[in-house]
Amino acid sequence: MRSSARWLVLGLAAVPWAGSPSHAYFLDQGRHFDLRLRAYSQLGIMTDSSEKDWPGNGPNTCVVNGKESNKCKYSAGDLAQHRNFYYPEFDAKLTDYTPWMHEVPGLSLVTPDDFRFRFAWWGFYDGLYDYLNGPWNFNRRNLKARESESDNINKESFTFNDQNKNARHIYARRDRINELYLDYKKGPLFLRAGRQSISWGESDDIVFMDRLNAFDLTLGAPGLYQDLDEARIPFWALRATYKVLDNWKGLSSVFGDAFVVPGVVDTTVPIDPIVGGVSPFNPDVPDPQLTANDLIKRNGFDPKNFQGLHLVVVSRQPAQTWANTRWGARLTGVVARDYTVQAWFAREFPVAPTPLLTGGPGGFDEGFKDTSPLKSIPLTLIDDRGFRTPICLNNLTNKPILKRFGAVGHTPAGRTCSYAEPIVTILDRQLESVIGLSSTWYSPRVNGIIRTEAEYFHDEEAVIPNQNLNPLAQVPRSILNGHFFTNTIPRTDYVRWLIGYDRFFFFRPVNPSNSFIVVAAIHGETNVFERRERDFRTAQQKPGKPATAPTTLPVCSPVALASKQCRIAPAKNFEDLKAFDNDYLSVALQTDYLHGRLEPRIVVLLWGSGIYGFQPLVTYRLTDNVLLTGTWVAIEGSRRAILGTFRGHDMVQLRLTFQLN
């Protein structure tokens, strides 16, 4: 049954503590140990219907018993989320328990001036696939491509033995330690060791330059569908801050700051979204297995009777080695009494991954000669989802099928199975270097605070379609006149910058009692090495455009040309990223009514290329502990890139929050 908004009342009424008064808790009379909690129940309702090229609208993307179905499409009014989020916190002030160190020789030198401990848990449950049970659950159950993770792709992904990504474990429920650290302060030195978050760059409303910590990508653009602080993924790090000087000539309050995240301990990167319509927050990308089916057809086979190629989309997990250590150093201080200036260098992983289509099995090179000693990748017995299976029975004799490339049978549970090889697409992240400089000051001339920041991102992975995703890497050598294509990931440098303006002001006709707060910024991005001969693009295809197109390269044999296997990835079929792109204006406006009980806020994001985001939000404080919030997230764009990737996913979110503080 399709979900509808009639569940709204039930969803919000399901929170038994909503009307009960609560207070913060201290575990001792001296108030050294403090317990706090923030939890909410949030219902999301779609206010837009799926676009024409939504994954369910193409052939073989939404099929039930051999017939096209509408079960994989969504419509305005469908429930898309019931997220029940919890964030308990525990803080301990331990300074009063350290005076004994004064009496121990040697330890007296390191007796802390301040010593604290903090622990916080992060978790949620979403009824997306249970009682909501809309098109998202249908798509989850019928997704054919294998979505996985691996830190050793050559040994695992090419034998279907990597870590499968279970959509239920990603979108419906997760738990983690969010913070677990000790704070130590002695004189000018401050140390923090443990799981923590570090923010040096600017992130007003969506992630732009603040990338030291990874951000959760499973709920779309961080900052719109999900709070930035909630989306931030902490890491295990050691951070040190040292007060260099108090006052010297034109300098004051100068601090040095550094951190290190050992690669042998932590190489956490975001969980990449699972495509194919399994979540209302994911890009509109059809089931990738269709790519393999298309290749099978071009080789003259029927995908129903021949399933020798199965597509694997694997997120490369950085190896836990010292080479993948993240670190950074920063110097900050006040210059000429008015200007807060910061400069830093850091090594970090990018937030978004870069795709790479590998050279693959060349299954059609060997044809049905599965016993050939030249075959470097063994045939693997899998079901129609890419899971290894020990038994595959002949559809006629009900006996185990012969080991033959593409031979189709069924599992004892009734699923289609076959001996197959993988087509592996890697979602990759590699460390990059970042140099940053920022300054903030109050300007009486404009009666507000000016913020400026510029960062240089060196050696960042990028996309040139015919270099990352060239389909000739999957074409048999026999029809490429013995040649073999290998895709690679290009790299480039980016300069990202912003100029911001913040101020308070009164506008009595609208709010006679309280002021307005405006936070505005112009953001810009420049691809340093964008040239006509290096046409950088996004990995998103333009609506209605195929990922590949036939060509007539001399390297292709007559057979390849006749069967249309001689193909490229045309750059014009992918969304463009120009040399000066991703330039946008962000404006957030907020005020208070009813003595602070009612707080309306609006965020507007405007790109010069015709993309915009619109997020009005209203929070009403029922009690000191219970808040009711309504948010509308609307995204539109003339192209499906940057924020426009999520166009057609407009949503109303209603949230009931309980906070114990």
Side-chain angles (χ1 to χ4, degrees):
M1 179 182 296
R2 294 181 66 82
S3 303
S4 63
R6 70 172 182 268
W7 292 96
L8 171 60
V9 177
L10 294 178
L12 294 179
V15 188
W17 35 256
S20 59
S22 299
H23 305 281
Y25 284 97
F26 291 93
L27 303 184
D28 66 322
Q29 292 183 350
R31 297 198 168 191
H32 295 96
F33 304 100
D34 179 16
L35 282 176
R36 293 192 297 275
L37 171 69
R38 184 174 73 90
Y40 65 76
S41 182
Q42 177 170 286
L43 195 70
I45 307 170
M46 301 300 299
T47 59
D48 207 345
S49 299
S50 55
E51 295 187 336
K52 292 182 178 180
D53 60 338
W54 173 252
N57 293 359
N60 301 320
T61 59
C62 186
V63 178
V64 180
N65 296 327
K67 297 181 180 180
E68 290 285 336
S69 170
N70 290 324
K71 289 187 177 182
C72 56
K73 305 175 185 178
Y74 64 88
S75 303
D78 283 354
L79 292 188
Q81 180 188 48
H82 187 199
R83 183 180 177 92
N84 299 281
F85 178 79
Y86 37 92
Y87 191 79
E89 306 168 74
F90 172 74
D91 288 281
K93 302 175 183 178
L94 305 176
T95 312
D96 291 346
Y97 298 91
T98 61
W100 60 270
M101 298 176 65
H102 289 287
E103 310 300 327
V104 180
L107 289 182
S108 59
L109 298 176
V110 294
T111 303
D113 299 331
D114 191 26
F115 191 47
R116 297 172 183 263
F117 170 78
R118 176 171 171 79
F119 169 78
W121 191 263
W122 181 102
F124 71 90
Y125 166 73
D126 196 316
L128 182 68
Y129 302 129
D130 296 326
Y131 48 88
L132 299 191
N133 196 26
W136 333 108
N137 193 36
F138 177 88
N139 293 333
R140 178 189 69 87
R141 298 178 63 181
N142 290 277
L143 183 69
K144 301 302 182 185
R146 181 179 177 87
E147 301 259 3
S148 58
E149 297 178 345
S150 176
D151 61 357
N152 193 337
I153 292 174
N154 288 339
K155 290 186 177 180
E156 295 178 344
S157 299
F158 284 95
T159 57
F160 300 93
N161 202 30
D162 47 16
Q163 179 63 48
N164 178 65
K165 290 198 296 189
N166 188 317
R168 181 178 290 277
H169 297 163
I170 294 174
Y171 297 102
R173 182 161 192 170
R174 267 188 286 156
D175 289 276
R176 71 171 183 236
I177 296 174
N178 206 63
E179 293 176 295
L180 180 64
Y181 59 76
L182 286 168
D183 284 346
Y184 170 90
K185 186 179 185 302
K186 178 68 174 180
L189 177 65
F190 171 82
L191 295 175
R192 174 170 291 174
R195 189 165 173 86
Q196 57 187 287
S197 297
I198 300 175
S199 176
W200 286 357
E202 290 280 355
S203 285
D204 290 336
D205 301 296
I206 61 173
V207 174
F208 186 61
M209 290 190 289
D210 180 13
R211 303 184 179 193
L212 293 183
N213 281 103
F215 282 85
D216 184 11
L217 300 177
T218 59
L219 291 189
L224 286 181
Y225 296 102
Q226 182 182 18
D227 298 338
L228 273 179
D229 289 339
E230 182 184 321
R232 195 184 303 273
I233 303 172
F235 44 41
W236 295 96
L238 174 63
R239 181 179 183 180
T241 303
Y242 190 85
K243 189 171 186 179
V244 179
L245 57 86
D246 281 319
N247 200 341
W248 180 71
K249 295 185 178 181
L251 299 176
S252 59
S253 300
V254 178
F255 288 85
D257 199 6
F259 75 91
V260 60
V261 184
V264 294
V265 175
D266 191 330
T267 55
T268 303
V269 294
I271 299 174
D272 294 318
I274 299 176
V275 297
V278 303
S279 166
F281 303 99
N282 289 347
D284 295 341
V285 178
D287 189 338
Q289 180 59 28
L290 296 177
T291 302
N293 292 345
D294 185 56
L295 181 59
I296 291 172
K297 287 181 180 179
R298 292 202 302 269
N299 278 272
F301 296 92
D302 184 352
K304 294 180 180 179
N305 302 319
F306 177 88
Q307 297 185 7
L309 299 178
H310 198 92
L311 199 136
V312 177
V313 181
V314 54
S315 299
R316 188 197 300 275
Q317 303 301 294
Q320 289 192 307
T321 63
W322 285 108
N324 280 325
T325 294
R326 286 170 281 183
W327 62 276
R330 177 178 66 159
L331 191 65
T332 179
V334 179
V335 179
R337 300 181 60 182
D338 293 327
Y339 302 90
T340 301
V341 179
Q342 303 179 62
W344 65 89
F345 174 87
R347 293 279 288 168
E348 64 186 34
F349 288 111
V351 175
T354 302
L356 175 69
L357 179 64
T358 67
F364 291 110
D365 272 325
E366 302 301 328
F368 298 99
K369 301 175 185 177
D370 55 278
T371 59
S372 170
L374 300 177
K375 213 165 179 59
S376 59
I377 300 175
L379 294 177
T380 305
L381 194 57
I382 60 170
D383 66 13
D384 58 349
R385 302 166 299 172
F387 289 91
R388 293 164 67 107
T389 180
I391 300 177
C392 186
L393 304 175
N394 187 291
N395 291 330
L396 297 177
T397 65
N398 214 35
K399 295 181 179 180
I401 64 173
L402 298 177
K403 187 176 182 180
R404 185 166 58 88
F405 180 51
V408 177
H410 65 274
T411 66
R415 282 194 170 272
T416 301
C417 53
S418 62
Y419 279 103
E421 292 182 344
I423 295 177
V424 178
T425 298
I426 300 172
L427 301 179
D428 193 50
R429 291 178 178 87
Q430 299 291 334
L431 283 174
E432 60 187 22
S433 299
V434 181
I435 301 172
L437 181 66
S438 70
S439 180
T440 304
W441 69 93
Y442 173 77
S443 173
R445 184 168 298 180
V446 296
N447 194 25
I449 296 174
I450 304 296
R451 294 176 290 117
T452 61
E453 182 174 336
E455 294 188 33
Y456 190 91
F457 294 78
H458 174 60
D459 216 23
E460 183 170 309
E461 293 184 311
V463 175
I464 298 177
N466 221 35
Q467 188 170 332
N468 301 62
L469 305 171
N470 192 328
L472 291 181
Q474 291 291 340
V475 174
R477 290 188 292 270
S478 58
I479 63 173
L480 290 180
N481 296 325
H483 292 272
F484 185 77
F485 282 81
T486 301
N487 287 326
T488 58
I489 295 179
R491 298 209 176 215
T492 188
D493 293 357
Y494 288 93
V495 175
R496 297 183 175 100
W497 55 270
L498 73 81
I499 300 175
Y501 173 66
D502 308 340
R503 70 164 295 182
F504 293 85
F505 68 93
F506 283 92
F507 188 59
R508 302 296 186 184
V510 176
N511 192 339
S513 303
N514 295 313
S515 65
F516 288 82
I517 304 171
V518 61
V519 178
I522 298 174
H523 306 72
E525 178 180 278
T526 301
N527 186 334
V528 177
F529 298 118
E530 166 76 18
R531 302 287 188 274
R532 178 177 295 180
E533 61 275 12
R534 298 194 76 201
D535 188 7
F536 290 95
R537 300 271 169 160
T538 74
Q540 284 88 21
Q541 298 161 225
K542 294 179 180 178
K545 297 292 185 179
T548 67
T551 187
T552 55
L553 294 175
V555 71
C556 297
S557 69
V559 174
L561 297 174
S563 62
K564 294 185 178 181
Q565 293 188 71
C566 189
R567 306 175 77 86
I568 60 171
K572 292 184 178 180
N573 288 7
F574 293 79
E575 296 287 356
D576 196 7
L577 283 181
K578 301 176 182 178
F580 299 92
D581 207 347
N582 204 8
D583 302 331
Y584 68 97
L585 169 69
S586 67
V587 180
L589 185 66
Q590 178 178 310
T591 189
D592 293 330
Y593 292 94
L594 303 178
H595 304 287
R597 295 177 66 90
L598 181 66
E599 184 180 276
R601 182 174 186 261
I602 185 171
V603 175
V604 178
L605 305 172
L606 300 172
W607 274 260
S609 60
I611 301 171
Y612 78 84
F614 184 67
Q615 186 199 51
L617 179 150
V618 178
T619 299
Y620 183 74
R621 188 179 296 274
L622 298 174
T623 70
D624 288 341
N625 304 105
V626 182
L627 290 75
L628 181 62
T629 303
T631 307
W632 180 40
V633 180
I635 298 172
E636 189 54 77
S638 58
R639 56 185 184 137
R640 186 175 290 163
I642 314 172
L643 189 63
T645 302
F646 304 98
R647 71 182 196 182
H649 294 248
D650 299 356
M651 180 184 300
V652 168
Q653 295 174 322
L654 301 175
R655 176 186 295 187
L656 193 61
T657 302
F658 171 77
Q659 51 190 21
L660 179 67
N661 51 24

